Amino acid sequence: NIYRVPPGGGAPQVVATGFTNIIDLAFDDRGTLYVLQIGNGFAGPGGPPLNPPGQLIRVNPNGSRTVVYAGLFYPGGVAIGPDGAAYVTNFGSTTVSMVQLAAKTVAATLPSGGNRPTGVAVTPDGTTLFVASYADGTINVIDIASSKLRSGVAVGANPTGLAISVRNASAS
C-alpha cells in the first residue's frame, strides 16, 4: 500500500493498493505520483526472487493506474526531471533509463558511472543527474545532454538514496 500522511499529523490515509514490489516513489511538478516496482510479482521456488521486468506506474488522480513503462531491468530508483522524463536507475545493469512519460518510451540510456545504481536525483534545471552506485560506494555526476560521466566521489559503503536541495542547489 501507499499512504499519505496528513501535513498536520494524524492517521495515514491509503492512497493506492495492490502493489507488490515498490522500490521507490516520485512526484512530477504537477503532483502526479509515480511508483517504481523492482519486479512484477514473485518468481517462486528455485527462481529469482522477483519476476522481471520492473515497471514505472503512474497513479492517476482517480486512483487508477497506468503502466508508463514495463521493460526495466531491476530498477532501483526514480527521479522526475523538469523535462517531463523519468530517470530510472537499473540496479541489474550499469545504466539509467530516460523514460519519456508522455510517450511511454525509453528515449535514452545513460551511463550510471558505477555498478548497481540505486538512488538518482536530477537538478532543477534538468541538466545533471546524480547517481548512487551501491556496489562501488560512489555518487556519480552525469551530464544528461552528452550522456557522459562528469565526475564521481567515494562516499562509503552502499549508498542508496539521493535528494537535491533546491534552496541550496546541492545534492545530499
Side-chain angles (χ1 to χ4, degrees):
N1 293 337
I2 297 173
Y3 297 88
R4 175 180 295 127
V5 177
Q13 303 159 351
V14 175
V15 173
T17 63
F19 295 98
T20 57
N21 301 297
I22 296 172
I23 190 78
D24 204 4
L25 304 170
F27 289 95
D28 68 12
D29 60 358
R30 293 182 308 250
T32 303
L33 175 64
Y34 290 86
V35 177
L36 185 62
Q37 290 208 132
I38 192 170
N40 187 20
F42 296 101
L50 301 170
N51 285 324
Q55 299 179 332
L56 180 62
I57 303 164
R58 181 178 59 239
V59 178
N60 301 306
N62 66 2
S64 65
R65 291 182 258 177
T66 302
V67 175
V68 175
Y69 193 77
L72 300 166
F73 189 62
Y74 293 111
V78 62
I80 310 295
D83 57 356
Y87 295 89
V88 180
T89 60
N90 296 299
F91 189 78
S93 71
T94 60
T95 63
V96 177
S97 295
M98 178 181 172
V99 179
Q100 288 297 333
L101 296 173
K104 298 182 182 179
T105 60
V106 172
T109 301
L110 308 169
S112 69
N115 293 310
R116 303 257 186 230
T118 51
V120 62
V122 60
T123 55
D125 65 4
T127 62
T128 306
L129 287 180
F130 291 85
V131 180
S133 289
Y134 185 85
D136 297 332
T138 59
I139 303 295
N140 300 301
V141 182
I142 312 297
D143 179 80
I144 293 173
S146 69
S147 297
K148 302 248 187 236
L149 173 67
R150 273 199 220 148
S151 64
V153 62
V155 296
N158 312 121
T160 57
L162 292 171
I164 291 184
S165 169
V166 177
R167 180 185 295 170
N168 296 13
S170 62
S172 301

